[in-house]
Amino acid sequence: MKLDLIKKLQQKKFRTETGYCLVEGEHLVLELQKAAEQQSSLATAELYLTEQYAEWETDLEVHPVNSKQMSAISATKSPQGIVAVVPMSAIQPKSTQQEVALYFHEIQDPGNLGTILRTLAWFGGYRCLLSPGSVDPFNPKVIRASMGAIFHVPMELDVSLDSLADRYAHIGCLDMQGEPLHSRAFKECDCYLFGNEARGVPRDHLDRLGAKAFTIPGAGLIESLNLGTAVSLSVYERQRQS
């Protein structure tokens, strides 16, 4: 891919038009290569390396670039000197029949989604469903925050809220007035619903889905938890009950 086009992949419009995203930095490229061993489709990714990475071991196609060119294509202020251009359709982590789903309604913060993917990858056995209007998971900020977890967590994009009723028999959500998170009923859910950072999930949708409410017990000195923190606590509790 031409260098002037690679720089544009920082914008969602061009990622959508070309079907490619950027993966930057040693750790993320190593995770990409690790995932490529299990997902052959990722072998079509291409690396752009400065001289300091001339001895980098990889089976991917390599394109040497100078530091000025790297600065032009990098999404960071201080480029490490290693960038991969990855076809988004190739990012297809393995699925299992036992996956539990987490649905996110119009979440906006790239850091939150990256943290969530990292949590789901750590525990394993979870699928991430994103509603229309959610942050793009291929945003460079999401990929960096995920620390490569995006290559290991099955995802579905543009999943409508109303479609959940046909797919999942027991849907759970978080609410200040729900049952304690440690209650036995929490583990019985096969899909957990989380809302937008500011607006949550529309109440009428929760009612139509018959979502059962659960609460993370706390002192109640502040209004709410950060979304990423709430997800981490919820997934940990689900694992603890297993």
Side-chain angles (χ1 to χ4, degrees), residues 106-114 135 142 197 226:
E106 298 180 355
I107 67 169
Q108 299 299 306
D109 188 278
N112 276 340
L113 181 55
V135 63
V142 174
E197 291 91 340
N226 167 270

Side-chain angles (χ1 to χ4, degrees), residues 49-69:
L49 309 175
T50 56
E51 185 177 359
Q52 70 185 95
Y53 288 100
E55 304 301 320
W56 185 266
E57 295 185 8
T58 183
D59 292 327
L60 302 178
E61 183 176 341
V62 172
H63 303 275
V65 296
N66 58 43
S67 57
K68 184 176 181 180
Q69 290 171 321

Side-chain angles (χ1 to χ4, degrees), residues 226-237:
N226 167 270
L227 176 60
T229 300
V231 171
S232 296
L233 290 170
S234 298
V235 173
Y236 174 78
E237 179 58 28

Side-chain angles (χ1 to χ4, degrees), residues 20-49 53-64 82-87 90-91 151:
Y20 288 86
C21 64
L22 287 177
V23 172
E24 183 171 359
E26 282 189 24
H27 178 82
L28 289 175
V29 171
L30 283 172
E31 287 294 335
L32 166 64
Q33 293 181 177
K34 184 193 305 182
E37 296 174 4
Q38 304 297 324
Q39 304 169 46
S40 58
S41 57
L42 286 173
T44 58
E46 299 182 7
L47 285 184
Y48 293 77
L49 309 175
Y53 288 100
E55 304 301 320
W56 185 266
E57 295 185 8
T58 183
D59 292 327
L60 302 178
E61 183 176 341
V62 172
H63 303 275
I82 179 168
V83 170
V85 176
V86 184
I91 302 176
F151 301 120

Side-chain angles (χ1 to χ4, degrees), residues 114-124 126 149 228 231-233 235-236:
T115 297
I116 288 164
L117 291 173
R118 193 173 178 182
T119 296
L120 301 187
W122 175 261
F123 288 104
Y126 291 91
V231 171
S232 296
L233 290 170
V235 173
Y236 174 78

